[in-house]
Amino acid sequence: MKVLFLVPYPTEGASNRVRIEQYLPYLTERGIEWTLRPFVSSAFYQVLYQRGRAGPKVMHFGLSCLRRLMDLLRLRTYDLVVVHREAFPVGPPWIEVVAHWLDLPVVFDFDDAIFLSNTSEPNTYIERFKRPGKVATIIGWSQEVIAGNAFLAHFARQFNPNVTVIPSAIDTDYYQPLEEPPRRKEIVIGWIGSHSTRKFVATLKPAFQVLATRYPDVRFELVGTEHPITEVPRLTARLWRLDRELADVRGFDIGVMPMPDDLWTQGKCGFKAILYQALGLPLICSPVGVNRDIVHDGVNGFLADSTEEWVEKLSRLVEDADLRRTLGDKGRQSVEARYSVRAHQDNFLAVLERAARTGRRSR
């Protein structure tokens, strides 16, 4: 079987790296031939979320369109097309339309509520060209749909009964805790995210201020933004880099994941929490969406829904090294059992094989 994976981002983009690329070595082992085709190149990704830079963005967008045209011309050489999120970022689903006309089986995978309007702040002008309504059409045309959580699956089943929930998983062979935690007096409370979620961590400013005053040995690290939260002592911020991600998060003693409760965040798949747990970190997150499934309060992490709760539970972790170790160990165990790539790779392959068989029968 030859499979074409159409994804939005290069490897630097967490979404298709987690949802698709982690499974590719396993597919190779099982004799599956595959081609991975991102719309955005690595060079495009470097400027995509910068403010301005209209000239480079337009140039890279044009090159990306040409590459997608080449993908379109090669569709007939594949047995199956897997579309993660979208094959083309704006306008109607024309790539999927052609696959539909060719009677080529399609698997659609998504891990966010992309059927809602949501555009990154540096690229709000794109909003007028987005077509979130096309998600329902693509789902209806697909042989199989993979949803990242039950909320997304509920939406997808309105248009297609063949929906499988596969949570965003993590390679637990690569993402492992340090054998020996760093010996230092200070305790690092850390957050990793992106330009789009920086506003979430900013809601912790009042809690951080209390903790900074209460505990002189606590400092704060934000990875994924160059804009620190002001008026919080001992807080640093830096941009995310793939080659530094593992070391950065291993440098945390406690991981945090605040989120508001709305339709968009209910569609999130909780990968930040899974990442913290895979690395054996105690974490605190907001009780939103799948976070309630990933984190069992007081067992493998904490849930916090107010500034007072954040302060209280962060204080407990700061003061109690044994509690940090216990929650971190429990988190690691739950990830290995429920959110590892190994736990879901057979199911991922089964969906692809089922779609290919269905497509062959229909043709």
Side-chain angles (χ1 to χ4, degrees), residues 121-312:
E121 188 177 339
N123 298 308
T124 51
Y125 61 90
I126 292 293
E127 182 69 33
R128 71 190 70 177
F129 304 109
K130 302 282 280 184
R131 297 289 186 272
K134 70 184 180 183
V135 174
T137 302
I138 298 170
I139 289 173
W141 284 346
S142 299
Q143 266 65 40
E144 297 282 339
V145 178
I146 302 174
N149 60 42
F151 176 82
L152 301 177
H154 176 75
F155 172 82
R157 289 191 179 108
Q158 298 175 82
F159 313 101
N160 191 324
N162 304 318
V163 179
T164 301
V165 175
I166 299 181
S168 293
I170 193 165
D171 183 353
T172 49
D173 293 331
Y174 177 74
Y175 290 95
Q176 294 192 14
L178 289 171
E179 292 185 7
E180 290 291 334
R183 295 182 180 181
R184 60 189 180 209
K185 187 178 179 182
E186 64 183 4
I187 295 174
V188 177
I189 297 173
W191 169 89
I192 186 169
S194 66
H195 60 281
S196 62
T197 54
R198 178 191 174 274
K199 58 189 176 186
F200 299 166
V201 73
T203 62
L204 292 184
K205 177 178 177 177
F208 284 175
Q209 288 175 323
V210 172
L211 291 162
T213 302
R214 183 179 294 176
Y215 304 107
D217 293 329
V218 166
R219 65 182 178 87
F220 310 89
E221 289 189 4
L222 310 183
V223 176
T225 177
E226 57 188 342
H227 303 290
I229 302 173
T230 58
E231 300 173 4
V232 175
R234 303 183 300 282
L235 184 146
T236 58
R238 59 181 174 275
L239 293 176
W240 173 91
R241 273 183 21 199
L242 179 59
D243 62 347
R244 210 171 51 198
E245 178 189 64
L246 182 59
D248 280 344
V249 183
R250 276 177 167 174
F252 300 166
D253 295 293
I254 301 166
V256 296
M257 185 184 177
M259 288 199 306
D261 192 353
D262 56 37
L263 287 177
W264 178 258
T265 55
Q266 287 175 36
K268 304 293 283 183
C269 291
F271 184 74
K272 195 189 294 24
I274 294 167
L275 172 61
Y276 294 150
Q277 289 185 331
L279 295 178
L281 295 176
L283 80 154
I284 305 180
C285 60
S286 301
V288 176
V290 296
N291 287 358
R292 296 187 184 94
D293 299 323
I294 297 169
V295 177
H296 300 153
D297 191 48
V299 177
N300 63 352
F302 282 132
L303 299 172
D305 199 27
S306 66
T307 296
E308 291 74 23
E309 272 194 287
W310 278 98
V311 170
E312 186 264 327

Side-chain angles (χ1 to χ4, degrees), residues 44-199:
F44 191 1
Y45 195 79
Q46 289 178 10
V47 301
L48 182 60
Y49 297 110
Q50 296 179 18
R51 292 185 179 277
R53 306 297 299 275
K57 289 179 182 179
V58 170
M59 178 193 71
H60 284 298
F61 182 79
L63 293 173
S64 296
C65 291
L66 289 175
R67 285 193 292 270
R68 268 295 178 261
L69 177 60
M70 297 303 296
D71 296 332
L72 184 64
L73 297 175
R74 299 189 187 106
L75 280 182
R76 283 187 180 275
T77 65
Y78 294 93
D79 302 304
L80 176 69
V81 176
V82 178
V83 176
H84 170 61
R85 295 175 67 100
E86 56 191 5
F88 198 77
V90 295
W94 55 277
I95 295 280
E96 293 87 346
V97 166
V98 174
H100 188 62
W101 285 346
L102 294 174
D103 209 16
L104 185 63
V106 173
V107 173
F108 180 67
D109 172 84
F110 68 131
D111 62 340
D112 271 326
I114 54 176
F115 46 87
L116 303 173
S117 296
N118 187 70
T119 305
S120 62
E121 188 177 339
N123 298 308
T124 51
Y125 61 90
I126 292 293
E127 182 69 33
R128 71 190 70 177
F129 304 109
K130 302 282 280 184
R131 297 289 186 272
K134 70 184 180 183
V135 174
T137 302
I138 298 170
I139 289 173
W141 284 346
S142 299
Q143 266 65 40
E144 297 282 339
V145 178
I146 302 174
N149 60 42
F151 176 82
L152 301 177
H154 176 75
F155 172 82
R157 289 191 179 108
Q158 298 175 82
F159 313 101
N160 191 324
N162 304 318
V163 179
T164 301
V165 175
I166 299 181
S168 293
I170 193 165
D171 183 353
T172 49
D173 293 331
Y174 177 74
Y175 290 95
Q176 294 192 14
L178 289 171
E179 292 185 7
E180 290 291 334
R183 295 182 180 181
R184 60 189 180 209
K185 187 178 179 182
E186 64 183 4
I187 295 174
V188 177
I189 297 173
W191 169 89
I192 186 169
S194 66
H195 60 281
S196 62
T197 54
R198 178 191 174 274
K199 58 189 176 186

